[in-house]
């Protein structure tokens, strides 16, 4: 079996209760047959255009030879470094594939100037002279991806190189990017337009960047293919039905899903699962909030009543100690199998929650706010106060009444209910400050509630949907850096630094408009040690 799932305790009771209805509802075979009526009349139109992912393995097979031939050609020309400009579904899957298979892939999914420059100038895996850029956007209009494309085009021209020799495009046929890329003579891979971005791991969006970087795509598709029969049958043994029942069933439902990588060989899978589930289910005031945890995270000690833990393991590592994880969901499997099972389970969970798992109605709001801010002369919202080079802004003046960072954070935590969560949004350069992710553990311990961490602006294309469309139980902590060395975006009247600031301010504005409490900390000094600052504030 290419995928295994084991449940115990209260989870087993939930699965035993829910599974017969899921089997009798013929959901697995219905999804495989691409039946758009499964999610109700309100979702039928969207579902009728978004179920192509169930055929992704067979549709993608011919791509393998094309990608391999292009990779060989590029390497023969000395082009061995692959940079991917993409967001959300266009970047998360190839990042997981590359990391798991051990091939180098530089992912540019940020507008932070330092991270942009690192991708442009080289990051230890090479330099611009041996770089090819994969521009990946389903819609063809993603602002972050467009900005990166403009920058690399300009840099290649300054080197005396025709960008058409170095830029490969992945997009839907007929998109604005498709048309401009074809006109410019770029190599274009068309993705299946009937597959939404977060379900596109086994399509051109996942395969082209990872394959050009050196991943074995044939093996990945074989792994996925070996699981298709298991997930297509209406049986209690179907792992996707079991997983859906475990994560979306129960009364009351545990609506926080703790994802723990514990000994698995697969790298970064929780980040991919996070986008798939949060963006698919976080709408209409409901949803499942994925919380990416470490094996030592505070939540595993405190065991909040609304948190369900999923432990991602390799079978030999943890299944021998099954009794140590009472009440958890243990899953093991190949990477291709994981992609298939989680996609099916998420679609089934959408049916159980009574929502459309294929739309993302609240993602556009932050983008619109960003565009509005960029179109106007920027006027910074006055800081409530400044401490240690950190400007503190709040959605509600009462949050900053103490005049101290410690008091402001305490006031933010006080807005948490028994079912609340904290979302940390880090609009900073993650290449040069990866340690900032450790802030999640400190905040989780201090706030005493499940805490998520997202690098901005990439999380806007994943958990951003849940933040606005899911339950109104979150409180939000933004960390924003003020760029030192900024970078102009060629052909546009603003810099990457200004774009990043507008994205942070726009999202804070939309969250506040939705009644979500927001504290925004702007780092005015690049030498500010954020973790030390928070340790002092605890």
């Amino acid at each position: 079996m290419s995928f295994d799932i084991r449940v115990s305790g209260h989870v087993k009771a939930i699965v035993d209760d829910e599974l017969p209805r899921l089997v009798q509802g013929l959901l697995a075979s219905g999804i495989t047959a691409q039946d758009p009526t499964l999610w109700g009349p309100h979702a039928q139109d969207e579902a009728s255009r978004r179920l192509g992912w169930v055929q992704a393995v067979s549709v993608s097979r011919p791509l393998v030879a094309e990608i391999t031939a292009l990779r060989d050609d590029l390497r023969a020309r000395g082009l061995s470094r692959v940079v991917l400009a993409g967001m959300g579904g266009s970047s998360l899957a190839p990042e997981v594939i590359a990391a798991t298979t051990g091939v180098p892939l530089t992912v540019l999914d940020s507008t932070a100037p330092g991270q942009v420059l690192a991708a442009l100038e080289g990051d230890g895996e090479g330099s611009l002279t041996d770089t090819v850029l994969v521009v990946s956007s389903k819609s063809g209009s993603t602002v972050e991806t467009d900005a990166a494309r403009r920058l690399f085009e300009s840099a290649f021209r300054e080197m005396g190189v025709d960008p058409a020799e170095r830029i490969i495009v992945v997009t839907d046929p007929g998109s604005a990017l498709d048309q401009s890329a074809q006109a410019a003579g770029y190599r274009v891979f068309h993705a299946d337009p009937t597959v939404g971005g977060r379900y596109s791991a086994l399509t051109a969006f996942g395969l082209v960047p990872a394959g050009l970087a050196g991943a074995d795509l044939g093996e990945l598709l074989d792994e996925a293919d070996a699981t298709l029969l298991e997930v297509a049958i209406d049986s209690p043994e179907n792992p996707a039905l079991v997983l859906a029942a475990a994560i979306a069933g129960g009364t009351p439902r545990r609506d926080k899903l703790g994802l723990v990588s514990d000994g698995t060989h697969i790298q970064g899978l929780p980040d991919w699962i996070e986008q798939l589930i949060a963006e698919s289910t976080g709408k209409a005031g409901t949803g499942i909030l994925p919380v990416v945890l470490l094996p030592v995270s505070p939540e595993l000690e405190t065991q909040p009543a609304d948190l369900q833990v999923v432990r991602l393991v390799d079978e030999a590592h943890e299944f021998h100690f099954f009794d140590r994880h009472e009440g958890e969901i243990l899953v093991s499997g190949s990477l291709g199998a994981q992609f298939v099972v989680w996609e099916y389970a998420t679609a089934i969970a959408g049916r159980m929650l009574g929502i459309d798992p294929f739309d993302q109605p609240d993602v556009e709001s932050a983008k619109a706010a960003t565009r509005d801010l960029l179109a106007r002369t920027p006027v910074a919202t006055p800081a409530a106060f400044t401490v240690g080079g950190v400007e503190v802004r709040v959605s509600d003046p009462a949050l900053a009444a103490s005049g101290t960072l410690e008091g402001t954070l305490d006031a933010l935590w006080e807005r948490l209910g028994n079912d609340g969560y904290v979302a940390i949004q880090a609009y900073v350069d993650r290449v040069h400050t990866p340690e900032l992710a450790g802030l999640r553990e400190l905040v989780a311990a201090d706030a005493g509630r499940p805490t998520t961490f997202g690098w901005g602006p990439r999380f806007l294309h994943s958990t951003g949907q849940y933040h606005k469309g899911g339950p109104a139980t979150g409180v939000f902590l933004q960390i924003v850096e003020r760029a030192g060395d900024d970078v102009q975006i060629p052909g546009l009247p603003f810099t990457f630094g200004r774009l990043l600031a507008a994205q942070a301010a726009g999202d804070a504005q939309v969250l506040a408009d939705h009644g979500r409490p927001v504290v925004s900390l702007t780092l005015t000094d690049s030498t500010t040690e954020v973790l030390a600052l928070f340790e002092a504030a605890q």
Side-chain angles (χ1 to χ4, degrees):
M1 182 176 288
S2 56
F3 186 95
D4 199 358
I5 177 169
R6 303 195 185 187
V7 295
S8 61
H10 72 275
V11 190
K12 186 176 187 306
I14 290 170
V15 170
D16 289 345
D17 180 56
E18 297 280 357
L19 202 52
R21 287 189 292 274
L22 298 181
V23 172
Q24 292 164 14
L26 306 180
L27 295 181
S29 59
I31 291 174
T32 304
Q34 301 185 56
D35 180 358
T37 68
L38 293 175
W39 297 272
H42 69 287
Q44 186 169 340
D45 179 61
E46 186 77 23
S48 69
R49 296 178 284 111
R50 289 290 180 261
L51 285 166
W53 51 272
V54 301
Q55 295 182 320
V57 172
S58 59
V59 170
S60 295
R61 286 286 186 188
L63 277 177
V64 175
E66 288 185 59
I67 296 168
T68 302
L70 178 57
R71 180 181 68 207
D72 292 344
D73 175 63
L74 292 171
R75 290 184 175 179
R77 292 190 278 134
L79 304 177
S80 57
R81 177 175 179 259
V82 180
V83 176
L84 168 61
M87 301 297 295
S90 298
S91 65
L92 288 166
E95 187 170 42
V96 174
I97 297 168
T100 299
T101 56
V103 300
L105 175 66
T106 298
V107 176
L108 178 54
D109 57 358
S110 175
T111 51
Q115 192 167 335
V116 171
L117 285 173
L120 181 69
E121 297 172 353
D123 48 14
E125 299 292 344
S127 65
L128 191 62
T129 58
D130 53 15
T131 293
V132 294
L133 176 73
V134 179
V135 179
S136 187
S137 172
K138 180 174 178 61
S139 68
S141 60
T142 308
V143 62
E144 300 93 341
T145 307
D146 177 66
R149 175 188 60 79
R150 290 169 179 269
L151 183 65
F152 274 80
E153 283 177 339
S154 177
F156 286 141
R157 290 192 181 103
E158 288 179 4
M159 286 174 51
V161 172
D162 182 355
E165 299 177 6
R166 301 290 192 96
I167 294 180
I168 296 121
V169 169
V170 184
T171 189
D172 277 3
S175 73
L177 176 59
D178 180 28
Q179 296 174 33
S180 63
Q182 300 271 14
Y186 297 163
R187 175 68 181 271
V188 177
F189 286 87
H190 285 145
D192 185 345
T194 67
V195 180
R198 56 189 176 275
Y199 292 84
S200 65
L202 297 172
T203 73
F205 285 112
L207 301 183
V208 171
L212 293 180
D216 187 336
L217 302 182
E219 181 179 12
L220 179 70
L221 293 178
D222 287 345
E223 292 171 355
D225 199 22
T227 312
L228 290 177
L229 182 60
E230 296 177 52
V231 299
I233 57 175
D234 300 302
S235 161
E237 305 303 317
N238 183 327
L241 291 176
V242 174
L243 182 56
I247 66 175
T251 305
R253 180 169 55 86
R254 299 189 178 204
D255 66 352
K256 318 293 189 303
L257 193 68
L259 301 167
V260 187
S261 287
D262 194 0
T264 176
H265 69 288
I266 300 175
Q267 302 296 309
L269 185 62
D271 290 329
W272 177 81
I273 296 172
E274 179 183 47
Q275 187 216 11
L276 176 67
I277 292 181
E279 198 169 42
S280 295
T281 69
K283 59 201 70 169
T286 189
I288 301 168
L289 177 67
V291 183
V292 178
L293 302 174
L294 300 174
V296 294
S297 288
E299 291 93 333
L300 296 177
E301 285 291 325
T302 59
Q303 291 287 327
D306 55 347
L307 179 73
Q308 176 58 59
V309 174
V310 176
R311 198 172 292 265
L312 308 171
V313 302
D314 278 347
E315 184 171 2
H317 177 72
E318 280 292 345
F319 280 176
H320 295 301
F321 308 103
F322 183 55
D323 57 341
R324 295 185 185 179
H325 303 294
E326 178 78 13
E328 296 185 351
I329 305 166
L330 271 65
V331 299
S332 175
S334 65
L335 179 55
Q338 295 277 4
F339 284 150
V340 170
V341 174
W342 281 100
E343 286 174 349
Y344 263 80
T346 301
I348 296 164
R351 162 68 176 261
M352 296 172 69
L353 296 175
I355 51 90
D356 178 355
F358 306 114
D359 69 349
Q360 48 281 332
D362 297 291
V363 168
E364 178 61 25
S365 58
K367 296 180 183 179
T370 297
R371 290 192 294 268
D372 180 60
L373 289 170
L374 289 171
R376 297 186 275 117
T377 302
V379 178
T381 302
F385 62 89
T386 301
V387 58
V390 178
E391 296 175 351
V392 180
R393 293 176 174 81
V394 293
S395 59
D396 176 357
L399 290 168
S402 67
T404 68
L405 180 58
E406 180 180 10
T408 300
L409 295 180
D410 286 342
L412 187 62
W413 309 157
E414 287 172 5
R415 303 287 179 95
L416 286 165
N418 293 333
D419 59 350
Y421 68 95
V422 182
I424 305 172
Q425 306 172 338
Y427 287 87
V428 300
D429 169 8
R430 73 177 172 123
V431 169
H432 296 105
T433 55
E435 69 279 1
L436 187 61
L439 185 59
R440 198 214 75 83
E441 307 302 314
L442 294 175
V443 169
D446 198 33
R449 289 296 300 156
T451 300
T452 67
F453 182 95
W455 296 102
R458 91 173 190 174
F459 78 84
L460 293 174
H461 299 258
S462 57
T463 51
Q465 166 61 41
Y466 186 97
H467 294 161
K468 290 98 174 176
T473 58
V475 301
F476 298 85
L477 177 62
Q478 285 191 343
I479 313 294
V480 184
E481 68 175 359
R482 186 163 293 167
D485 297 328
D486 207 345
V487 182
Q488 181 66 43
I489 302 174
L492 295 178
F494 48 84
T495 64
F496 279 96
R498 184 179 164 197
L499 174 56
L500 183 70
Q503 289 175 309
D507 194 41
Q509 173 188 314
V510 173
L511 288 169
D513 290 344
H514 279 71
R516 273 53 161 179
V518 184
V519 170
S520 182
L521 307 181
T522 301
L523 312 182
T524 62
D525 182 351
S526 60
T527 63
T528 300
E529 178 49 69
V530 179
L531 294 184
L533 187 67
F534 272 81
E535 287 169 349
Q538 284 187 310

